[in-house]
């Protein structure tokens, strides 16, 4: 079973940089990170910003010894359409996906915990982790 980590972004280089660092440290805590693929989907922006983002992402992937498939939308789809498109894109290539937004911090053990949840999944197609007041994250478990 292959799991995708989908990093959703817009024009926030700082957010992408922090999330890639967090993803890198998360993967260091996993016994078999070979079953995990990283995908980065950036919603549309102008060509100059796309070039700057692309260069920054490539620099960070190299810095953290990560490999990722990267897709830049040519037009700005907006949050809901972009996320829907990106999840579909990832699920065409892997069995499960963990979605991370560029402006939401993740804990050191998030990917490890979600990987364990995937192994324990029930017949449900989605699972949500919630605090008393907030939806913390939603995990899409299977196609």
């Amino acid at each position: 079973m292959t799991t995708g980590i989908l990093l959703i972004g817009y024009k926030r280089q700082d957010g992408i940089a922090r999330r890639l660092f967090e993803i890198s440290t998360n993967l260091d805590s996993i016994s078999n990170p070979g079953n995990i693929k990283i995908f980065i989907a950036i919603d549309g922006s102008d060509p100059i910003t796309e070039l700057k983002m692309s260069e920054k992402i490539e620099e960070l992937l190299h810095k953290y010894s990560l490999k990722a498939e990267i897709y830049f939308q040519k037009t700005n789809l907006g949050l809901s359409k972009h996320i829907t498109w990106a999840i579909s894109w990832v699920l065409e290539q892997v069995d499960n996906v963990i979605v991370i937004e560029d402006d939401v911090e993740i804990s050191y053990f998030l990917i490890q915990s979600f990987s364990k949840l995937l192994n324990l999944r029930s017949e449900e197609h989605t699972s949500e982790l919630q605090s008393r007041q907030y939806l913390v994250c939603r995990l899409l478990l299977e196609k």
Side-chain angles (χ1 to χ4, degrees):
M1 173 173 56
T2 304
T3 299
I5 297 173
L6 171 59
L7 177 55
I8 298 280
Y10 184 52
K11 297 182 190 181
R12 297 177 283 262
Q13 286 188 23
D14 291 346
I16 293 289
R18 285 191 296 273
R19 297 308 76 82
L20 285 174
F21 171 75
E22 292 164 357
I23 289 168
S24 173
T25 57
N26 265 261
L27 292 178
D28 288 343
S29 71
I30 294 176
S31 59
N32 187 10
N35 291 336
I36 296 176
K37 289 183 160 185
I38 300 171
F39 299 84
I40 301 171
I42 306 295
D43 203 4
S45 62
D46 61 273
I48 294 171
T49 303
E50 181 179 324
L51 179 62
K52 289 179 183 177
M53 286 288 293
S54 179
E55 290 172 349
K56 182 66 173 179
I57 290 169
E58 291 294 339
E59 172 191 322
L60 292 165
L61 291 173
H62 179 73
K63 177 179 179 179
Y64 300 127
S65 300
L66 298 173
K67 293 181 181 176
E69 286 190 42
I70 306 166
Y71 188 90
F72 285 89
Q73 291 288 354
K74 298 300 176 201
T75 60
N76 186 355
L77 297 180
L79 183 62
S80 63
K81 287 182 181 178
H82 179 63
I83 288 177
T84 302
W85 175 88
I87 289 171
S88 297
W89 170 59
V90 171
L91 286 175
E92 290 172 357
Q93 303 173 65
V94 296
D95 302 306
N96 305 291
V97 62
I98 299 169
V99 179
I100 299 169
E101 291 186 44
D102 65 343
D103 59 349
V104 178
E105 292 181 33
I106 63 172
S107 86
Y108 181 74
F109 295 104
L110 178 95
I111 295 170
Q112 181 181 39
S113 299
F114 277 14
S115 295
K116 287 179 182 178
L117 277 174
L118 289 169
N119 291 328
L120 298 173
R121 71 179 182 225
S122 66
E123 295 300 313
E124 297 288 325
H125 290 286
T126 60
S127 178
E128 294 177 351
L129 300 179
Q130 295 183 341
S131 69
R132 296 181 92 183
Q133 297 177 331
Y134 303 100
L135 172 67
V136 177
C137 52
R138 179 170 289 135
L139 173 63
L140 185 60
L141 294 176
E142 54 186 78
K143 293 182 185 177

